Amino acid sequence: VKRIRRFAYHEPASVREAVEILAAEGGSARPLAGGTDLLVDMKLGKTRPSVVVNLKRITDLEGIDRCNSGTRIGSLVRVSALEASPVVRPVRNLATIGGNLGRASPASDLAPPLIVHRAVVTLEGREGEREVPVEDLFTGPGTTTLEPTEVITSIFVPDLPERAGAAHRKLGKRGGGWDIALAGASAVLVFDQRGRVADARIALASLGPTVLRAREAEDTLRGALPTEDLLAEAARLAAEATRPITDVRASAGYRKTLAAVLSRRVLIEALDQARGRYPT
Ligand SMILES: Cc1cc2nc3c(=O)[nH]c(=O)nc-3n(C[C@H](O)[C@H](O)[C@H](O)COP(=O)(O)OP(=O)(O)OC[C@H]3O[C@@H](n4cnc5c(N)ncnc54)[C@H](O)[C@@H]3O)c2cc1C
């Protein structure tokens, strides 16, 4: 482990102040949220910001608020606050939703469910605010469409329509917990009044350079009755669309097999959920 290079440190009290500091540094400053990625990367010498802008004092970035069409989640909301699990592990107590998206890991646990739920991120920069669908945020492993001077302020998750179901599954290290996914899959299925698939969205983690949409699989489902064979075929197409790598955690072949298994499982669970709530 290398020593962290010296850096200037700021704790602004507002987004505006944070944006001004980022802008003044011309790209060599980095926002810090929970630090579970950034501090590790700085220790390893993978990133060497000259300025670190800790967002923790900006109260505007906290809070989960319901409105009539969805839920707005502040970017500093902790992963531990997002889940119901009574077992809260240390990383979850620090890791934030904004940092998870800012890190742009292809193995992110939060990006696939946010993408299938059509979540939209609000960014604030020098020029003001703009909104970007989560799925348009990532350009590669660790890279985003964010300007270096922009801060993720919140994530809006629209409510699902009627007759819809959603599911997320990941396979991590044995024993579960907050462990980097070997593969992950999320699905949302929306049905029309006749029980046909009106909309299908599938997103996959750890199966390509960014979190992927399985568009061909989705197209196969749209307009069809959700038979077991159709869901299996969609899962096969989803796996076909993946571009996994072999690394220390799993081989590309194993990941492709997982892609099919997890996709099928989330599709069945999304269907069951929709049927449980709104019998078709
Ligand atoms: C042991 C361990 C286990 C992990 N397990 C998992 C796991 O199972 N699943 C998973 O998805 N991740 C996992 N991670 C990765 C990490 O914990 C998550 O990505 C976490 O959500 C990052 O959030 P953070 O607040 O700590 O981000 P930070 O480390 O503070 O920041 C990460 C990146 O995002 C940028 N950033 C942070 N906040 C903002 C903002 N508001 N606006 C713009 N940019 C911002 C930072 O500049 C940095 O580039 C793990 C990490 C560790 C160390």
Side-chain angles (χ1 to χ4, degrees):
V1 175
K2 299 175 186 164
R3 282 186 58 192
I4 295 186
R5 208 178 70 169
R6 287 177 75 83
F7 58 89
Y9 178 81
H10 296 267
E11 283 185 7
S14 70
V15 177
R16 189 97 315 263
E17 212 188 311
V19 167
E20 287 306 325
I21 299 167
L22 292 169
E25 295 305 316
S28 61
R30 295 292 288 276
L32 171 75
T36 60
D37 277 318
L38 185 62
L39 295 180
V40 173
D41 284 353
M42 285 169 68
K43 276 187 192 153
L44 295 174
K46 285 192 196 165
T47 179
R48 295 187 165 86
S50 59
V51 175
V52 169
V53 182
N54 196 335
L55 307 174
K56 72 174 182 189
R57 285 181 54 219
I58 308 177
T59 46
D60 282 355
L61 302 181
E62 308 268 1
I64 303 178
D65 297 308
R66 280 288 306 156
C67 63
N68 53 10
S69 62
T71 304
R72 186 165 294 280
I73 305 165
S75 62
L76 279 189
V77 167
R78 309 283 193 277
V79 171
S80 55
L82 285 175
E83 57 171 20
S85 166
V87 186
V88 174
R89 285 156 189 263
V91 170
R92 293 181 190 196
N93 267 337
L94 294 170
T96 64
I97 182 168
N100 195 278
L101 298 179
R103 170 71 178 84
S105 166
S108 162
D109 277 347
L110 302 185
L114 289 172
I115 287 172
V116 295
H117 278 266
R118 297 181 184 275
V120 174
V121 164
T122 301
L123 305 174
E124 191 169 331
R126 259 198 147 168
E127 314 302 323
E129 275 191 353
R130 65 182 179 117
E131 296 199 328
V132 179
V134 171
E135 75 169 291
D136 296 340
L137 213 52
F138 311 118
T139 50
T143 57
T144 67
T145 53
L146 253 82
E147 297 294 333
T149 55
E150 280 179 323
V151 170
I152 301 169
T153 55
S154 66
I155 297 96
F156 178 71
V157 187
D159 287 341
L160 285 178
E162 282 195 10
R163 294 182 290 274
H168 174 71
R169 287 277 164 186
K170 93 174 201 189
L171 191 77
K173 223 169 76 181
R174 221 171 276 265
W178 185 246
D179 287 309
I180 313 294
L182 298 180
S186 294
V188 160
L189 290 176
V190 183
F191 296 93
D192 65 18
Q193 281 171 339
R194 295 173 308 154
R196 289 180 191 277
V197 179
D199 194 17
R201 289 168 70 86
I202 303 168
L204 303 164
S206 270
L207 290 161
T210 60
V211 171
L212 304 171
R213 277 278 298 284
R215 290 180 194 278
E216 220 181 303
E218 295 171 358
D219 289 345
T220 302
L221 292 164
R222 277 193 204 100
L225 281 171
T227 61
E228 229 176 81
D229 283 352
L230 182 75
L231 298 189
E233 171 62 6
R236 191 189 65 74
L237 287 171
E240 222 167 66
T242 62
R243 287 170 284 147
I245 54 164
T246 294
D247 64 11
V248 286
R249 291 176 300 125
S251 71
Y254 180 53
R255 284 193 157 106
K256 250 191 195 297
T257 306
L258 283 180
V261 171
L262 294 177
S263 297
R264 186 160 170 272
R265 196 152 162 193
V266 290
L267 287 171
I268 291 169
E269 286 175 0
L271 171 65
D272 285 349
Q273 200 188 90
R275 283 191 167 153
R277 281 192 291 169
Y278 308 101
T280 52

PDB file of all heavy atoms in Angstrom, residues 163-197:
ATOM      1  N   ARG A 163     -49.936  -3.117 -11.963  1.00  0.00           N
ATOM      2  CA  ARG A 163     -49.636  -4.402 -12.605  1.00  0.00           C
ATOM      3  C   ARG A 163     -48.160  -4.520 -12.972  1.00  0.00           C
ATOM      4  O   ARG A 163     -47.814  -4.818 -14.129  1.00  0.00           O
ATOM      5  CB  ARG A 163     -50.490  -4.607 -13.862  1.00  0.00           C
ATOM      6  CG  ARG A 163     -51.973  -4.743 -13.574  1.00  0.00           C
ATOM      7  CD  ARG A 163     -52.749  -4.998 -14.836  1.00  0.00           C
ATOM      8  NE  ARG A 163     -52.780  -3.845 -15.680  1.00  0.00           N
ATOM      9  CZ  ARG A 163     -53.673  -2.863 -15.583  1.00  0.00           C
ATOM     10  NH1 ARG A 163     -54.634  -2.949 -14.694  1.00  0.00           N
ATOM     11  NH2 ARG A 163     -53.618  -1.835 -16.381  1.00  0.00           N
ATOM     12  N   ALA A 164     -47.290  -4.239 -11.978  1.00  0.00           N
ATOM     13  CA  ALA A 164     -45.855  -4.334 -12.242  1.00  0.00           C
ATOM     14  C   ALA A 164     -45.172  -5.097 -11.120  1.00  0.00           C
ATOM     15  O   ALA A 164     -45.678  -5.171  -9.995  1.00  0.00           O
ATOM     16  CB  ALA A 164     -45.261  -2.934 -12.355  1.00  0.00           C
ATOM     17  N   GLY A 165     -44.038  -5.682 -11.434  1.00  0.00           N
ATOM     18  CA  GLY A 165     -43.229  -6.357 -10.421  1.00  0.00           C
ATOM     19  C   GLY A 165     -41.763  -6.075 -10.689  1.00  0.00           C
ATOM     20  O   GLY A 165     -41.366  -5.813 -11.827  1.00  0.00           O
ATOM     21  N   ALA A 166     -40.959  -6.132  -9.618  1.00  0.00           N
ATOM     22  CA  ALA A 166     -39.529  -5.861  -9.761  1.00  0.00           C
ATOM     23  C   ALA A 166     -38.745  -6.840  -8.907  1.00  0.00           C
ATOM     24  O   ALA A 166     -39.229  -7.276  -7.855  1.00  0.00           O
ATOM     25  CB  ALA A 166     -39.220  -4.441  -9.312  1.00  0.00           C
ATOM     26  N   ALA A 167     -37.544  -7.208  -9.350  1.00  0.00           N
ATOM     27  CA  ALA A 167     -36.718  -8.110  -8.549  1.00  0.00           C
ATOM     28  C   ALA A 167     -35.249  -7.842  -8.825  1.00  0.00           C
ATOM     29  O   ALA A 167     -34.877  -7.376  -9.909  1.00  0.00           O
ATOM     30  CB  ALA A 167     -37.062  -9.558  -8.874  1.00  0.00           C
ATOM     31  N   HIS A 168     -34.423  -8.114  -7.821  1.00  0.00           N
ATOM     32  CA  HIS A 168     -32.978  -7.969  -7.973  1.00  0.00           C
ATOM     33  C   HIS A 168     -32.289  -9.144  -7.291  1.00  0.00           C
ATOM     34  O   HIS A 168     -32.687  -9.542  -6.205  1.00  0.00           O
ATOM     35  CB  HIS A 168     -32.508  -6.667  -7.309  1.00  0.00           C
ATOM     36  CG  HIS A 168     -31.015  -6.524  -7.310  1.00  0.00           C
ATOM     37  ND1 HIS A 168     -30.308  -6.276  -8.464  1.00  0.00           N
ATOM     38  CD2 HIS A 168     -30.088  -6.647  -6.323  1.00  0.00           C
ATOM     39  CE1 HIS A 168     -29.011  -6.227  -8.182  1.00  0.00           C
ATOM     40  NE2 HIS A 168     -28.862  -6.449  -6.890  1.00  0.00           N
ATOM     41  N   ARG A 169     -31.301  -9.691  -7.956  1.00  0.00           N
ATOM     42  CA  ARG A 169     -30.510 -10.790  -7.386  1.00  0.00           C
ATOM     43  C   ARG A 169     -29.061 -10.580  -7.711  1.00  0.00           C
ATOM     44  O   ARG A 169     -28.737 -10.104  -8.804  1.00  0.00           O
ATOM     45  CB  ARG A 169     -30.916 -12.140  -8.015  1.00  0.00           C
ATOM     46  CG  ARG A 169     -32.244 -12.647  -7.572  1.00  0.00           C
ATOM     47  CD  ARG A 169     -32.115 -13.370  -6.269  1.00  0.00           C
ATOM     48  NE  ARG A 169     -33.425 -13.523  -5.665  1.00  0.00           N
ATOM     49  CZ  ARG A 169     -33.593 -14.026  -4.452  1.00  0.00           C
ATOM     50  NH1 ARG A 169     -32.561 -14.397  -3.735  1.00  0.00           N
ATOM     51  NH2 ARG A 169     -34.802 -14.122  -3.954  1.00  0.00           N
ATOM     52  N   LYS A 170     -28.196 -10.952  -6.762  1.00  0.00           N
ATOM     53  CA  LYS A 170     -26.775 -10.960  -7.110  1.00  0.00           C
ATOM     54  C   LYS A 170     -26.127 -12.179  -6.511  1.00  0.00           C
ATOM     55  O   LYS A 170     -26.612 -12.706  -5.503  1.00  0.00           O
ATOM     56  CB  LYS A 170     -26.092  -9.699  -6.607  1.00  0.00           C
ATOM     57  CG  LYS A 170     -25.451  -9.805  -5.230  1.00  0.00           C
ATOM     58  CD  LYS A 170     -24.693  -8.544  -4.910  1.00  0.00           C
ATOM     59  CE  LYS A 170     -23.655  -8.765  -3.854  1.00  0.00           C
ATOM     60  NZ  LYS A 170     -23.026  -7.561  -3.348  1.00  0.00           N
ATOM     61  N   LEU A 171     -25.064 -12.632  -7.134  1.00  0.00           N
ATOM     62  CA  LEU A 171     -24.254 -13.651  -6.494  1.00  0.00           C
ATOM     63  C   LEU A 171     -22.941 -12.988  -6.124  1.00  0.00           C
ATOM     64  O   LEU A 171     -22.213 -12.487  -6.995  1.00  0.00           O
ATOM     65  CB  LEU A 171     -24.010 -14.839  -7.427  1.00  0.00           C
ATOM     66  CG  LEU A 171     -23.396 -16.002  -6.657  1.00  0.00           C
ATOM     67  CD1 LEU A 171     -24.453 -16.715  -5.823  1.00  0.00           C
ATOM     68  CD2 LEU A 171     -22.721 -16.979  -7.580  1.00  0.00           C
ATOM     69  N   GLY A 172     -22.687 -12.909  -4.824  1.00  0.00           N
ATOM     70  CA  GLY A 172     -21.426 -12.328  -4.351  1.00  0.00           C
ATOM     71  C   GLY A 172     -20.597 -13.439  -3.741  1.00  0.00           C
ATOM     72  O   GLY A 172     -20.767 -14.614  -4.080  1.00  0.00           O
ATOM     73  N   LYS A 173     -19.719 -13.036  -2.841  1.00  0.00           N
ATOM     74  CA  LYS A 173     -18.902 -14.040  -2.174  1.00  0.00           C
ATOM     75  C   LYS A 173     -19.813 -14.908  -1.329  1.00  0.00           C
ATOM     76  O   LYS A 173     -20.825 -14.430  -0.833  1.00  0.00           O
ATOM     77  CB  LYS A 173     -17.892 -13.337  -1.262  1.00  0.00           C
ATOM     78  CG  LYS A 173     -16.510 -13.923  -1.328  1.00  0.00           C
ATOM     79  CD  LYS A 173     -15.535 -13.016  -0.613  1.00  0.00           C
ATOM     80  CE  LYS A 173     -15.655 -13.140   0.903  1.00  0.00           C
ATOM     81  NZ  LYS A 173     -14.726 -12.246   1.598  1.00  0.00           N
ATOM     82  N   ARG A 174     -19.441 -16.174  -1.134  1.00  0.00           N
ATOM     83  CA  ARG A 174     -20.243 -17.047  -0.300  1.00  0.00           C
ATOM     84  C   ARG A 174     -20.417 -16.426   1.088  1.00  0.00           C
ATOM     85  O   ARG A 174     -19.478 -15.832   1.601  1.00  0.00           O
ATOM     86  CB  ARG A 174     -19.542 -18.399  -0.149  1.00  0.00           C
ATOM     87  CG  ARG A 174     -20.474 -19.543  -0.221  1.00  0.00           C
ATOM     88  CD  ARG A 174     -19.668 -20.800  -0.284  1.00  0.00           C
ATOM     89  NE  ARG A 174     -19.263 -21.072  -1.667  1.00  0.00           N
ATOM     90  CZ  ARG A 174     -19.944 -21.876  -2.461  1.00  0.00           C
ATOM     91  NH1 ARG A 174     -21.032 -22.448  -2.033  1.00  0.00           N
ATOM     92  NH2 ARG A 174     -19.532 -22.104  -3.682  1.00  0.00           N
ATOM     93  N   GLY A 175     -21.609 -16.490   1.630  1.00  0.00           N
ATOM     94  CA  GLY A 175     -21.844 -15.864   2.924  1.00  0.00           C
ATOM     95  C   GLY A 175     -22.635 -14.569   2.787  1.00  0.00           C
ATOM     96  O   GLY A 175     -23.147 -14.058   3.743  1.00  0.00           O
ATOM     97  N   GLY A 176     -22.712 -14.062   1.560  1.00  0.00           N
ATOM     98  CA  GLY A 176     -23.554 -12.889   1.317  1.00  0.00           C
ATOM     99  C   GLY A 176     -22.957 -11.620   1.886  1.00  0.00           C
ATOM    100  O   GLY A 176     -21.761 -11.505   2.095  1.00  0.00           O
ATOM    101  N   GLY A 177     -23.813 -10.634   2.144  1.00  0.00           N
ATOM    102  CA  GLY A 177     -23.337  -9.374   2.684  1.00  0.00           C
ATOM    103  C   GLY A 177     -22.968  -8.393   1.593  1.00  0.00           C
ATOM    104  O   GLY A 177     -23.288  -8.562   0.439  1.00  0.00           O
ATOM    105  N   TRP A 178     -22.281  -7.327   1.979  1.00  0.00           N
ATOM    106  CA  TRP A 178     -21.899  -6.264   1.039  1.00  0.00           C
ATOM    107  C   TRP A 178     -20.601  -6.694   0.379  1.00  0.00           C
ATOM    108  O   TRP A 178     -19.510  -6.312   0.768  1.00  0.00           O
ATOM    109  CB  TRP A 178     -21.789  -4.958   1.820  1.00  0.00           C
ATOM    110  CG  TRP A 178     -21.518  -3.718   1.038  1.00  0.00           C
ATOM    111  CD1 TRP A 178     -20.393  -2.950   1.102  1.00  0.00           C
ATOM    112  CD2 TRP A 178     -22.374  -3.058   0.115  1.00  0.00           C
ATOM    113  NE1 TRP A 178     -20.507  -1.878   0.261  1.00  0.00           N
ATOM    114  CE2 TRP A 178     -21.702  -1.905  -0.345  1.00  0.00           C
ATOM    115  CE3 TRP A 178     -23.651  -3.332  -0.391  1.00  0.00           C
ATOM    116  CZ2 TRP A 178     -22.270  -1.036  -1.276  1.00  0.00           C
ATOM    117  CZ3 TRP A 178     -24.201  -2.463  -1.311  1.00  0.00           C
ATOM    118  CH2 TRP A 178     -23.515  -1.333  -1.740  1.00  0.00           C
ATOM    119  N   ASP A 179     -20.723  -7.557  -0.603  1.00  0.00           N
ATOM    120  CA  ASP A 179     -19.569  -8.107  -1.308  1.00  0.00           C
ATOM    121  C   ASP A 179     -19.730  -7.844  -2.782  1.00  0.00           C
ATOM    122  O   ASP A 179     -20.830  -7.939  -3.314  1.00  0.00           O
ATOM    123  CB  ASP A 179     -19.488  -9.627  -1.091  1.00  0.00           C
ATOM    124  CG  ASP A 179     -19.028  -9.962   0.306  1.00  0.00           C
ATOM    125  OD1 ASP A 179     -17.998  -9.411   0.708  1.00  0.00           O
ATOM    126  OD2 ASP A 179     -19.707 -10.757   0.977  1.00  0.00           O
ATOM    127  N   ILE A 180     -18.613  -7.569  -3.442  1.00  0.00           N
ATOM    128  CA  ILE A 180     -18.664  -7.243  -4.866  1.00  0.00           C
ATOM    129  C   ILE A 180     -19.305  -8.401  -5.638  1.00  0.00           C
ATOM    130  O   ILE A 180     -18.934  -9.557  -5.468  1.00  0.00           O
ATOM    131  CB  ILE A 180     -17.242  -6.985  -5.410  1.00  0.00           C
ATOM    132  CG1 ILE A 180     -16.455  -6.050  -4.485  1.00  0.00           C
ATOM    133  CG2 ILE A 180     -17.281  -6.457  -6.836  1.00  0.00           C
ATOM    134  CD1 ILE A 180     -16.968  -4.646  -4.387  1.00  0.00           C
ATOM    135  N   ALA A 181     -20.261  -8.062  -6.525  1.00  0.00           N
ATOM    136  CA  ALA A 181     -21.020  -9.092  -7.252  1.00  0.00           C
ATOM    137  C   ALA A 181     -20.150  -9.823  -8.276  1.00  0.00           C
ATOM    138  O   ALA A 181     -19.378  -9.204  -9.004  1.00  0.00           O
ATOM    139  CB  ALA A 181     -22.196  -8.440  -7.971  1.00  0.00           C
ATOM    140  N   LEU A 182     -20.280 -11.149  -8.321  1.00  0.00           N
ATOM    141  CA  LEU A 182     -19.719 -11.915  -9.454  1.00  0.00           C
ATOM    142  C   LEU A 182     -20.611 -11.671 -10.664  1.00  0.00           C
ATOM    143  O   LEU A 182     -20.156 -11.616 -11.793  1.00  0.00           O
ATOM    144  CB  LEU A 182     -19.710 -13.416  -9.143  1.00  0.00           C
ATOM    145  CG  LEU A 182     -18.870 -13.876  -7.958  1.00  0.00           C
ATOM    146  CD1 LEU A 182     -18.976 -15.387  -7.801  1.00  0.00           C
ATOM    147  CD2 LEU A 182     -17.427 -13.473  -8.164  1.00  0.00           C
ATOM    148  N   ALA A 183     -21.888 -11.563 -10.377  1.00  0.00           N
ATOM    149  CA  ALA A 183     -22.880 -11.204 -11.396  1.00  0.00           C
ATOM    150  C   ALA A 183     -24.132 -10.738 -10.662  1.00  0.00           C
ATOM    151  O   ALA A 183     -24.411 -11.189  -9.549  1.00  0.00           O
ATOM    152  CB  ALA A 183     -23.206 -12.401 -12.285  1.00  0.00           C
ATOM    153  N   GLY A 184     -24.871  -9.820 -11.301  1.00  0.00           N
ATOM    154  CA  GLY A 184     -26.105  -9.332 -10.696  1.00  0.00           C
ATOM    155  C   GLY A 184     -27.126  -9.065 -11.792  1.00  0.00           C
ATOM    156  O   GLY A 184     -26.754  -8.769 -12.932  1.00  0.00           O
ATOM    157  N   ALA A 185     -28.400  -9.198 -11.452  1.00  0.00           N
ATOM    158  CA  ALA A 185     -29.456  -8.946 -12.445  1.00  0.00           C
ATOM    159  C   ALA A 185     -30.643  -8.277 -11.754  1.00  0.00           C
ATOM    160  O   ALA A 185     -30.991  -8.617 -10.619  1.00  0.00           O
ATOM    161  CB  ALA A 185     -29.895 -10.243 -13.109  1.00  0.00           C
ATOM    162  N   SER A 186     -31.240  -7.320 -12.461  1.00  0.00           N
ATOM    163  CA  SER A 186     -32.477  -6.676 -11.981  1.00  0.00           C
ATOM    164  C   SER A 186     -33.485  -6.678 -13.111  1.00  0.00           C
ATOM    165  O   SER A 186     -33.093  -6.545 -14.279  1.00  0.00           O
ATOM    166  CB  SER A 186     -32.228  -5.217 -11.603  1.00  0.00           C
ATOM    167  OG  SER A 186     -31.383  -5.143 -10.501  1.00  0.00           O
ATOM    168  N   ALA A 187     -34.760  -6.815 -12.754  1.00  0.00           N
ATOM    169  CA  ALA A 187     -35.804  -6.766 -13.788  1.00  0.00           C
ATOM    170  C   ALA A 187     -37.027  -6.039 -13.259  1.00  0.00           C
ATOM    171  O   ALA A 187     -37.351  -6.111 -12.070  1.00  0.00           O
ATOM    172  CB  ALA A 187     -36.201  -8.176 -14.220  1.00  0.00           C
ATOM    173  N   VAL A 188     -37.670  -5.327 -14.179  1.00  0.00           N
ATOM    174  CA  VAL A 188     -39.018  -4.798 -13.933  1.00  0.00           C
ATOM    175  C   VAL A 188     -39.896  -5.302 -15.066  1.00  0.00           C
ATOM    176  O   VAL A 188     -39.508  -5.222 -16.242  1.00  0.00           O
ATOM    177  CB  VAL A 188     -39.030  -3.250 -13.900  1.00  0.00           C
ATOM    178  CG1 VAL A 188     -40.430  -2.715 -14.134  1.00  0.00           C
ATOM    179  CG2 VAL A 188     -38.518  -2.731 -12.560  1.00  0.00           C
ATOM    180  N   LEU A 189     -41.052  -5.866 -14.726  1.00  0.00           N
ATOM    181  CA  LEU A 189     -42.037  -6.271 -15.732  1.00  0.00           C
ATOM    182  C   LEU A 189     -43.335  -5.529 -15.445  1.00  0.00           C
ATOM    183  O   LEU A 189     -43.793  -5.487 -14.300  1.00  0.00           O
ATOM    184  CB  LEU A 189     -42.303  -7.780 -15.665  1.00  0.00           C
ATOM    185  CG  LEU A 189     -41.167  -8.705 -16.125  1.00  0.00           C
ATOM    186  CD1 LEU A 189     -41.557 -10.166 -15.898  1.00  0.00           C
ATOM    187  CD2 LEU A 189     -40.821  -8.478 -17.590  1.00  0.00           C
ATOM    188  N   VAL A 190     -43.888  -4.938 -16.495  1.00  0.00           N
ATOM    189  CA  VAL A 190     -45.179  -4.249 -16.373  1.00  0.00           C
ATOM    190  C   VAL A 190     -46.147  -4.966 -17.301  1.00  0.00           C
ATOM    191  O   VAL A 190     -45.790  -5.285 -18.445  1.00  0.00           O
ATOM    192  CB  VAL A 190     -45.059  -2.760 -16.801  1.00  0.00           C
ATOM    193  CG1 VAL A 190     -46.382  -2.036 -16.590  1.00  0.00           C
ATOM    194  CG2 VAL A 190     -43.934  -2.061 -16.044  1.00  0.00           C
ATOM    195  N   PHE A 191     -47.362  -5.237 -16.815  1.00  0.00           N
ATOM    196  CA  PHE A 191     -48.341  -5.994 -17.610  1.00  0.00           C
ATOM    197  C   PHE A 191     -49.537  -5.128 -17.978  1.00  0.00           C
ATOM    198  O   PHE A 191     -49.898  -4.204 -17.251  1.00  0.00           O
ATOM    199  CB  PHE A 191     -48.808  -7.230 -16.816  1.00  0.00           C
ATOM    200  CG  PHE A 191     -47.678  -8.184 -16.585  1.00  0.00           C
ATOM    201  CD1 PHE A 191     -46.916  -8.117 -15.430  1.00  0.00           C
ATOM    202  CD2 PHE A 191     -47.340  -9.122 -17.544  1.00  0.00           C
ATOM    203  CE1 PHE A 191     -45.833  -8.967 -15.244  1.00  0.00           C
ATOM    204  CE2 PHE A 191     -46.262  -9.974 -17.375  1.00  0.00           C
ATOM    205  CZ  PHE A 191     -45.522  -9.891 -16.211  1.00  0.00           C
ATOM    206  N   ASP A 192     -50.150  -5.466 -19.150  1.00  0.00           N
ATOM    207  CA  ASP A 192     -51.383  -4.758 -19.506  1.00  0.00           C
ATOM    208  C   ASP A 192     -52.569  -5.511 -18.896  1.00  0.00           C
ATOM    209  O   ASP A 192     -52.389  -6.539 -18.225  1.00  0.00           O
ATOM    210  CB  ASP A 192     -51.486  -4.573 -21.032  1.00  0.00           C
ATOM    211  CG  ASP A 192     -51.610  -5.902 -21.777  1.00  0.00           C
ATOM    212  OD1 ASP A 192     -51.961  -6.924 -21.140  1.00  0.00           O
ATOM    213  OD2 ASP A 192     -51.351  -5.916 -22.995  1.00  0.00           O
ATOM    214  N   GLN A 193     -53.771  -5.023 -19.166  1.00  0.00           N
ATOM    215  CA  GLN A 193     -54.953  -5.607 -18.503  1.00  0.00           C
ATOM    216  C   GLN A 193     -55.211  -7.037 -18.948  1.00  0.00           C
ATOM    217  O   GLN A 193     -55.862  -7.807 -18.261  1.00  0.00           O
ATOM    218  CB  GLN A 193     -56.169  -4.736 -18.773  1.00  0.00           C
ATOM    219  CG  GLN A 193     -56.163  -3.518 -17.881  1.00  0.00           C
ATOM    220  CD  GLN A 193     -57.226  -2.520 -18.266  1.00  0.00           C
ATOM    221  OE1 GLN A 193     -57.708  -2.524 -19.398  1.00  0.00           O
ATOM    222  NE2 GLN A 193     -57.595  -1.671 -17.334  1.00  0.00           N
ATOM    223  N   ARG A 194     -54.682  -7.418 -20.146  1.00  0.00           N
ATOM    224  CA  ARG A 194     -54.883  -8.783 -20.629  1.00  0.00           C
ATOM    225  C   ARG A 194     -53.773  -9.728 -20.172  1.00  0.00           C
ATOM    226  O   ARG A 194     -53.725 -10.883 -20.572  1.00  0.00           O
ATOM    227  CB  ARG A 194     -54.954  -8.783 -22.160  1.00  0.00           C
ATOM    228  CG  ARG A 194     -56.169  -8.039 -22.690  1.00  0.00           C
ATOM    229  CD  ARG A 194     -56.111  -7.928 -24.199  1.00  0.00           C
ATOM    230  NE  ARG A 194     -54.822  -7.374 -24.643  1.00  0.00           N
ATOM    231  CZ  ARG A 194     -54.265  -7.584 -25.833  1.00  0.00           C
ATOM    232  NH1 ARG A 194     -54.863  -8.366 -26.699  1.00  0.00           N
ATOM    233  NH2 ARG A 194     -53.125  -7.028 -26.139  1.00  0.00           N
ATOM    234  N   GLY A 195     -52.845  -9.220 -19.371  1.00  0.00           N
ATOM    235  CA  GLY A 195     -51.768 -10.068 -18.849  1.00  0.00           C
ATOM    236  C   GLY A 195     -50.561 -10.172 -19.759  1.00  0.00           C
ATOM    237  O   GLY A 195     -49.662 -10.972 -19.530  1.00  0.00           O
ATOM    238  N   ARG A 196     -50.546  -9.351 -20.826  1.00  0.00           N
ATOM    239  CA  ARG A 196     -49.361  -9.344 -21.689  1.00  0.00           C
ATOM    240  C   ARG A 196     -48.323  -8.356 -21.145  1.00  0.00           C
ATOM    241  O   ARG A 196     -48.671  -7.431 -20.424  1.00  0.00           O
ATOM    242  CB  ARG A 196     -49.740  -8.941 -23.119  1.00  0.00           C
ATOM    243  CG  ARG A 196     -50.521 -10.000 -23.824  1.00  0.00           C
ATOM    244  CD  ARG A 196     -50.895  -9.593 -25.238  1.00  0.00           C
ATOM    245  NE  ARG A 196     -51.855 -10.533 -25.768  1.00  0.00           N
ATOM    246  CZ  ARG A 196     -51.528 -11.702 -26.323  1.00  0.00           C
ATOM    247  NH1 ARG A 196     -50.272 -12.043 -26.450  1.00  0.00           N
ATOM    248  NH2 ARG A 196     -52.462 -12.524 -26.752  1.00  0.00           N
ATOM    249  N   VAL A 197     -47.059  -8.604 -21.541  1.00  0.00           N
ATOM    250  CA  VAL A 197     -45.988  -7.730 -21.063  1.00  0.00           C
ATOM    251  C   VAL A 197     -46.078  -6.389 -21.801  1.00  0.00           C
ATOM    252  O   VAL A 197     -45.931  -6.334 -23.016  1.00  0.00           O
ATOM    253  CB  VAL A 197     -44.596  -8.363 -21.305  1.00  0.00           C
ATOM    254  CG1 VAL A 197     -43.495  -7.424 -20.817  1.00  0.00           C
ATOM    255  CG2 VAL A 197     -44.491  -9.721 -20.622  1.00  0.00           C
TER     256      VAL A 197
END
